[in-house]
Amino acid sequence: MAGHSKWKNIQRRKNAQDAKKGKIFMRLAKELYVAAKDGGGDPEMNPSLRLAIDKAKASNMPNDNIERAIKKATGDLDGANYEEVVYEGYGPAGAAVMVELLTDNKNRAASDVRHAFSKHGGNLGENGCVAFMFDRRGYIVIERNTTETDEDTMMLTVAEAGAEEMEPSEEVFEIYTSPEQFQDVKKYLMDEGYQLETAEVTMFPQTYVSLSEDDENKMSRLIDRLEDLEDVQEIYHNAELNE
């Protein structure tokens, strides 16, 4: 993973989400629902809910929408019953793909994902077929144009915060943490006055695969199709895509 910037993929996803703001709110509401249902409606006692609320606020989701999703989960309001499902498979040229969904209809979700894979040069696999190729890590991005801190100082600050590593580039500082230390590192950096462009716990491929131009186009279409599906929350893959 070292030396491979995730920032371009993050930007690609953000641009896609900005074009579908209503849909991303729906995805965030589902994530809030599941977090609150599994761990309770108090974010102080439920780290997963706290993370989901932070993510929703970072996407400018209205507070009323956030509260409504939590109340549905805790039984204060009627709502659908969502389940978490993960599908694993292979894209063009054998690229590993993981798709996380929150759905109230597993049959529909399975059919939609299977069709997307088969139509764009991929195929679904068994559970666990590619999961071992990914690591779950905290990921924080600070844009260089939001701080006057130099690289050496930032490296020291990140170490003091408890992060595992930092990768600097011309545009950003990319900071990686263990999932367990993510909230502490995030809070430390915010308390120090840094503006966090991105802060999330996500999946990283252990290695990346290069694709031909034709396979890269197919892979991009597969990702776009999966992103359009109603139940899809997150997509992880190990393909190198030139943006």
Side-chain angles (χ1 to χ4, degrees):
M1 194 272 307
H4 187 102
S5 172
K6 188 173 184 285
W7 183 235
K8 291 188 182 299
N9 286 336
I10 289 285
Q11 288 177 310
R12 178 187 189 278
R13 189 178 70 189
K14 284 182 176 293
N15 290 339
Q17 290 176 351
D18 286 343
K20 307 169 186 175
K21 186 63 74 176
K23 185 164 188 178
I24 193 59
F25 284 173
M26 184 185 301
R27 290 180 178 177
L28 290 167
K30 288 182 181 179
E31 191 169 333
L32 289 160
Y33 174 95
V34 169
K37 185 176 181 182
D38 290 345
D42 182 359
E44 294 300 320
M45 303 297 294
N46 184 348
S48 295
L49 178 59
R50 187 163 65 247
L51 189 61
I53 291 173
D54 289 347
K55 187 175 178 181
K57 289 183 175 180
S59 295
N60 297 317
M61 187 177 187
N63 287 332
D64 286 348
N65 295 35
I66 294 173
E67 292 174 5
R68 186 159 54 248
I70 295 173
K71 286 180 178 179
K72 285 182 179 180
T74 55
D76 294 329
L77 290 175
D78 292 333
N81 184 28
Y82 294 108
E83 296 181 76
E84 294 179 275
V85 186
V86 178
Y87 292 106
E88 302 176 40
Y90 303 92
V97 183
M98 291 182 64
V99 188
E100 293 182 352
L101 301 91
L102 289 175
T103 182
D104 59 355
N105 188 326
K106 294 174 71 172
N107 290 333
R108 178 192 66 216
S111 176
D112 288 346
V113 172
R114 185 177 294 108
H115 182 260
F117 270 87
S118 62
K119 187 175 181 180
H120 298 289
N123 60 281
L124 279 179
E126 298 293 327
N127 287 343
C129 67
V130 301
F132 68 94
M133 302 181 189
F134 295 82
D135 295 321
R136 193 167 188 82
R137 304 184 77 186
Y139 179 68
I140 296 170
V141 172
I142 298 174
E143 292 188 325
R144 280 183 178 264
N145 61 13
T146 64
T147 179
E148 296 181 357
T149 304
D150 60 39
E151 190 172 312
D152 290 339
T153 303
M154 180 62 75
M155 187 73 75
L156 289 173
T157 301
V158 166
E160 291 171 358
E164 294 181 336
E165 66 176 302
M166 183 187 83
E167 291 183 13
S169 67
E170 291 184 3
E171 296 180 327
V172 296
F173 297 111
E174 293 178 281
I175 301 158
Y176 301 89
T177 81
S178 68
E180 295 78 16
Q181 290 297 314
F182 171 75
Q183 286 289 353
D184 289 341
V185 174
K186 176 183 174 183
K187 183 178 185 303
Y188 185 97
L189 294 172
M190 292 180 67
D191 288 347
E192 290 293 309
Y194 291 105
Q195 180 180 326
L196 311 185
E197 174 60 24
T198 294
E200 62 183 4
V201 176
T202 186
M203 301 291 284
F204 287 91
Q206 296 168 359
T207 59
Y208 288 81
V209 298
S210 299
L211 304 181
S212 67
E213 183 177 352
D214 182 53
D215 284 336
E216 186 175 331
N217 289 335
K218 290 179 181 177
M219 187 69 180
S220 292
R221 288 195 292 270
L222 170 59
I223 294 170
D224 287 342
R225 177 57 189 146
L226 289 170
E227 286 177 341
D228 283 338
L229 296 180
E230 176 183 347
D231 298 319
V232 169
Q233 294 291 111
E234 296 287 353
I235 304 162
Y236 308 110
H237 63 83
N238 69 347
E240 287 187 345
L241 299 179
N242 296 312
E243 303 301 336

